[in-house]
Amino acid sequence: MTLGEMDAFFFAAIYGGADAATVVVMAAKLVAKVLIYCLPIHMVALWLVGDDIDKQTALALLLALICGLTASHLIGLGFYRPRPFLAGLGEALMSHRPSASFPSNHALVFSAYASTLILLRQYRLGIAIFVVGLTVCAARIYLGIHYPGDILGGLLLGTISAMASLWIWARWGHQLYRIALAIWECFPHPIKRLSTTAKSGWIRRTTRSEKR
């Protein structure tokens, strides 16, 4: 059995198929589409209400995503693998454009994000995000959008992207942080004021919690 045949075999074992229960399909769609937006929200929160370390963490996370998605795009240009629903392995249970199947960008994003946090010794959050990412990836296989091999490729590429991001940050992070702060200073005053207000509210809530 070739790798492609093994991938198709495991895909068939997970794929929901035309007889999948409507409630399960709806839940899978919600997981597959929505949960990934928690990551940019977390990244923005780190920048808006965090200290210097949090802001640098946000930039390292962003850099990991840029590295990973750039590599994924280049792989997709050089090696186009049609998605399962384009290869005649069943209908997609959610709408999706016919872009390259390998690697899975969702798997890549969650892996890059979680791996960066773990490498920065934020173990609990990193592991939690990785588990959520595996759930999202399983949902996308179930819906007929990806092969398991696409997921494995995305997870591996995400880990490599995280290591590349921290390698870059260790060498040029100080300069990148200064550039980011300079760009932030160019933003309209109301946006920066919102950041200050949010940070002040966060500090007050934290102080109250500590007193209790």
Side-chain angles (χ1 to χ4, degrees), residues 3 15 17 35 40 43 53 56 66 70-71 76 85 90 98 105 119 140 145 150 154 160 164 169 175 193 199 207-208:
L3 289 176
Y15 173 53
L35 290 184
M43 212 165 15
I53 294 177
Q56 292 181 60
I66 291 173
T70 300
F85 61 87
N105 282 339
L119 291 171
R140 295 180 73 80
I145 303 301
D150 302 336
I160 295 172
W169 194 262
Q175 295 91 320
R193 185 175 181 181
K199 186 173 182 179
T207 304
R208 289 173 184 171

Side-chain angles (χ1 to χ4, degrees), residues 96-185:
H96 201 285
R97 60 195 179 92
S99 54
S101 184
F102 182 89
S104 165
N105 282 339
H106 278 71
L108 185 157
V109 166
F110 275 102
S111 177
Y113 208 95
S115 297
T116 301
L117 290 173
I118 290 171
L119 291 171
L120 292 174
R121 299 184 180 182
Q122 298 187 32
Y123 299 114
R124 291 185 180 179
L125 181 58
I127 292 172
I129 289 175
F130 187 77
V131 171
V132 172
L134 290 179
T135 305
V136 171
C137 293
R140 295 180 73 80
I141 299 173
Y142 180 84
L143 294 169
I145 303 301
H146 278 295
Y147 296 96
D150 302 336
I151 304 302
L152 293 176
L155 293 176
L156 177 60
L157 186 56
T159 302
I160 295 172
S161 300
M163 292 188 290
S165 169
L166 295 182
W167 182 86
I168 294 170
W169 194 262
R171 284 155 180 77
W172 301 288
H174 182 67
Q175 295 91 320
L176 293 173
Y177 185 47
R178 290 178 60 186
I179 292 171
L181 289 177
I183 293 173
W184 176 245
E185 288 300 319

